[in-house]
Amino acid sequence: NNTDLVDAVKAFSDSGFENAQIDQVFGGAYIQELKLAIIDSPSDVDVPYILSMWERGSIQLNAYSLKDLTKVLSTDGSKWYLQEEDGDTELPVLEPRMAILYNCGARRFCENHRT
């Protein structure tokens, strides 16, 4: 929640984190129709968020269209199903809200999408 985030920012600032050298590589995806950036942080998603508040570093994201994604990616809310050239992959849904957002966006922006 926002109170926890404010406390975390203050704790980071007080700890000298502001001057820390961050060598982590952050990646993820950007879904155009939703204007949504999904950060795939190796450890803690708060780190790139805090760095962006201090205007430090950068993240380059691959941009995807829901119309293209729904051809190869689906979810039932508990698992993600990815169709790849070398076979299908099942991954657990780690954040149910992301699966709901994906399905709602797919229904809104993609013809003939079924969940």
Side-chain angles (χ1 to χ4, degrees):
N1 70 35
N2 289 336
T3 302
D4 291 343
L5 180 60
V6 168
D7 291 343
V9 171
K10 183 171 179 359
F12 273 158
S13 184
D14 292 347
S15 71
F17 179 80
E18 198 167 358
N19 298 319
Q21 296 298 315
I22 306 297
D23 296 327
Q24 291 176 281
V25 175
F26 300 103
Y30 178 75
I31 299 178
Q32 297 167 351
E33 293 91 339
L34 302 177
K35 296 180 175 55
L36 175 68
I38 302 166
I39 308 299
D40 181 18
S41 175
S43 60
D44 188 356
V45 76
D46 291 335
V47 173
Y49 181 71
I50 300 301
L51 291 174
S52 73
M53 290 177 60
W54 287 329
E55 298 178 356
R56 290 186 50 209
S58 64
I59 298 175
Q60 291 185 334
L61 304 174
N62 292 322
Y64 298 96
S65 164
L66 277 174
K67 291 178 184 178
D68 292 336
L69 277 178
T70 56
K71 294 174 186 173
V72 297
L73 182 66
S74 63
T75 181
D76 62 8
S78 63
K79 291 187 180 181
W80 292 101
Y81 302 97
L82 179 62
Q83 298 173 6
E84 299 177 287
E85 290 180 13
D86 59 347
D88 295 346
T89 302
E90 289 184 18
L91 300 166
V93 169
L94 301 178
E95 176 53 66
R97 293 175 292 183
M98 195 61 66
I100 292 167
L101 181 60
Y102 179 82
N103 278 335
C104 289
R107 276 193 234 142
R108 164 99 163 67
F109 294 104
C110 304
E111 288 184 31
N112 303 322
H113 177 75
R114 295 180 187 205
T115 54

